[in-house]
Amino acid sequence: MNPGEVAPKAYQAVLGLEKYVQSNVDRTVLELVKLRASMINGCAYCVDMHSRDALAGGESSRRLFAVAAWRESPFFDERERAALALTDAVTRLGEHGVPDDVWDAAAKVWSEKELADLVIAIATINVWNRIGVTMQLEPPAQV
């Protein structure tokens, strides 16, 4: 099923969020966040797409591979680590929400506006992942 064809208004609404975050979140951080959430959610389509997008944007393959083990990796700065930790917490949102230490670490290195935009970015990729996984979207065989 192609959600853009079956529910075009809904698809356009999510696309509006996507355009917003692309204009308001640092591209490097945004691609790391999208890749991490997509890995957690098991969205092969999005892992493929965001890996390719990040590479095209100049990201190193070494850092992209390290996203899977970002906590143990030395390749990410404090802001990126805070964004990745927040991505993990929001994507795996449990009964108790985002832990205070995760939120506080993010609030320490991101302004209030940046943090709000980051949360919207994380929420948006989680919407895309849920669409992709549910509708069993597959990465293209050829790119």
Side-chain angles (χ1 to χ4, degrees), residues 81-91 98 102-103 106 115 118-119 122:
R81 288 182 173 287
L84 289 165
L86 188 60
T87 300
D88 284 6
V90 172
T91 300
V98 173
V102 171
W103 182 262
L115 193 51
L118 187 57
V119 170
I122 296 165

Side-chain angles (χ1 to χ4, degrees), residues 19-91:
K19 289 177 182 176
Y20 176 84
V21 298
Q22 286 179 6
S23 297
N24 288 280
V25 178
D26 173 79
R27 180 182 170 127
T28 299
V29 170
L30 183 58
E31 291 302 336
L32 294 175
V33 163
K34 288 178 176 185
L35 182 57
R36 180 62 183 164
S38 299
M39 288 175 170
I40 293 168
N41 289 323
C43 185
Y45 183 88
C46 291
V47 167
D48 177 71
M49 177 173 49
H50 297 302
S51 295
R52 286 185 291 111
D53 288 350
L55 286 169
E59 186 61 83
S60 75
S61 57
R62 194 171 187 201
R63 276 178 33 106
L64 292 180
F65 296 143
V67 168
W70 70 267
R71 290 183 192 278
E72 292 78 23
S73 172
F75 305 131
F76 304 103
D77 66 25
E78 186 178 17
R79 284 171 57 91
E80 292 166 338
R81 288 182 173 287
L84 289 165
L86 188 60
T87 300
D88 284 6
V90 172
T91 300

Side-chain angles (χ1 to χ4, degrees), residues 74-142:
F75 305 131
F76 304 103
D77 66 25
E78 186 178 17
R79 284 171 57 91
E80 292 166 338
R81 288 182 173 287
L84 289 165
L86 188 60
T87 300
D88 284 6
V90 172
T91 300
R92 294 181 171 130
L93 194 60
E95 180 180 342
H96 302 290
V98 173
D100 289 342
D101 63 322
V102 171
W103 182 262
D104 293 344
K108 178 181 159 199
V109 295
W110 293 90
S111 73
E112 190 172 82
K113 170 73 164 70
E114 290 172 325
L115 193 51
D117 289 341
L118 187 57
V119 170
I120 298 298
I122 296 165
T124 302
I125 188 56
N126 274 281
V127 169
W128 286 125
N129 289 164
R130 278 148 180 77
I131 291 168
V133 170
T134 302
M135 297 186 177
Q136 300 179 351
L137 299 180
E138 293 182 355
Q142 301 290 322

